[in-house]
Amino acid sequence: MAKSEPHQIDIHVGNRLRSRRLVLGLSQEKLGERLGITFQQIQKYEKGTNRVSASKLQAAALVLNVPIGYFFEDHEPVVPDGLVREVDEIGTFLISRDGVSLNRAFTSIKSKQVRQSIITLTKALANADDTGAQTADTERVVSATPQ
């Protein structure tokens, strides 16, 4: 008998669990200890391969200091014909280690002007066609940044 793919909602709940764990700086091992389960079980929850029981979801919500509804926020229901929607690239990035790290660093910058300069720089780098254009855009942004 072939093993079926994880259900879309189990993947979503797992992603939300992982996202919150990373935001709080908890390892899978530490979260597992607090929930009385192994880090391997946390891995399976986060991938959606194992479903989180109602009691473990309640315990996770308490440990992660979020309401139960947090795990279901932003979930779009399955398309009626069963097709799975395309993966949201921004959401996927935001729950990655790089996304969490970048978000923490960026939101800790107090100066709105500096944040805007970083956004402008990032857009310039993303839109650069060649090294020359990238250098010119970068120099323009750096010169606009307050010293």
Side-chain angles (χ1 to χ4, degrees), residues 45-95:
Y45 287 162
E46 289 182 358
K47 290 179 184 174
T49 53
N50 281 11
R51 214 169 252 173
V52 184
S53 70
S55 59
K56 283 296 178 207
L57 196 59
Q58 174 66 40
L62 290 171
V63 168
L64 299 173
N65 196 29
V66 293
I68 286 279
Y70 166 83
F71 297 105
F72 303 97
E73 289 174 0
D74 303 324
H75 175 69
E76 294 187 33
V78 176
V79 179
D81 62 3
L83 297 176
V84 178
R85 295 184 188 266
E86 288 184 30
V87 175
D88 175 13
E89 291 178 13
I90 294 171
T92 300
F93 173 71
L94 289 176
I95 64 171

Side-chain angles (χ1 to χ4, degrees), residues 117-118 120-145 147:
S117 294
I118 291 170
T120 303
L121 172 63
T122 305
K123 286 178 180 178
L125 293 171
N127 294 326
D129 292 333
D130 57 47
T131 307
Q134 183 176 354
T135 302
D137 288 341
T138 303
E139 289 171 354
R140 200 170 35 252
V141 170
V142 171
S143 66
T145 305
Q147 300 299 326

